[in-house]
Amino acid sequence: MTKAIKLLTALPPPQRARLMELAREVSFPEDTRIFETGGTADRFWVIRSGAVSLDQRVSSLQRITVAGLGAGDLLGWSWLFPPYRWDFGAEAFSPVRAYEFDAAAVLALCEEDPRLGLTLVRSVAEILAHRLETTRGQLLEQYTLPRRGAL
């Protein structure tokens, strides 16, 4: 299994410093919807403190939590891939403080500094691979447990 990595600590210090020049500190009160599935993905966050739940709408009345994120975690990756729409929704599970990054500015920086761009994309890919493996494990666990009443 891949290990969990944190985006900012995965970047070498000079590249981290360049990226952080684009950061803006933001906060979200508990129970705030940060983004909705299908919305325009034009930014991303690195959580400084607090907890965020990623969810998927399964009906007009129900959402299921698919992941929980905390300090150091990347929130949002859809800004990196067309059609630049959120694949999940996100809600502050507790008060959250985060660094917010404008996707267009980060992509322009990546064009200007291809080494930073490659390192950033590889780091996001590692994060996604870890989350996919974790989700797969949860699904296997959920659907391979003996059901009550089954022989």
Side-chain angles (χ1 to χ4, degrees):
M1 177 178 260
T2 60
K3 68 177 185 122
I5 69 164
K6 306 295 184 183
L7 180 67
L8 295 179
T9 56
L11 296 173
Q15 294 173 337
R16 183 180 327 123
R18 290 202 68 200
L19 181 64
M20 289 305 294
E21 290 173 8
L22 302 177
R24 181 174 80 98
E25 292 187 29
V26 297
S27 61
F28 301 101
E30 184 176 352
D31 297 329
T32 299
R33 290 299 293 172
I34 300 169
F35 55 83
E36 292 288 350
T37 304
T40 301
D42 59 358
R43 66 198 67 242
F44 66 96
W45 301 263
V46 173
I47 300 168
R48 295 177 57 213
S49 66
V52 173
S53 59
L54 293 178
D55 56 49
Q56 184 68 57
R57 187 175 291 280
V58 293
S59 73
S60 61
L61 300 174
Q62 184 184 12
R63 299 175 206 255
I64 57 168
T65 298
V66 296
L69 305 176
D73 285 334
L74 171 68
L75 172 59
W77 51 266
S78 298
W79 60 275
L80 196 52
F81 306 103
Y84 311 108
R85 299 278 176 211
W86 297 119
D87 287 317
F88 301 99
E91 185 169 321
F93 189 71
S94 68
V96 171
R97 291 175 39 226
Y99 293 117
E100 181 178 85
F101 297 88
D102 177 79
V106 172
L107 291 170
L109 178 61
C110 291
E111 290 287 327
E112 176 187 316
D113 183 347
R115 177 176 239 146
L116 184 148
L118 181 59
T119 304
L120 182 67
V121 168
R122 282 183 173 163
S123 297
V124 171
E126 282 186 61
I127 291 166
L128 293 176
H130 176 74
R131 289 185 188 170
L132 181 61
E133 285 183 16
T134 300
T135 301
R136 190 185 87 190
Q138 291 170 340
L139 287 171
L140 286 172
E141 186 177 300
Q142 180 177 347
Y143 289 104
T144 57
L145 290 175
R147 298 188 188 269
R148 290 186 185 171
L151 295 176

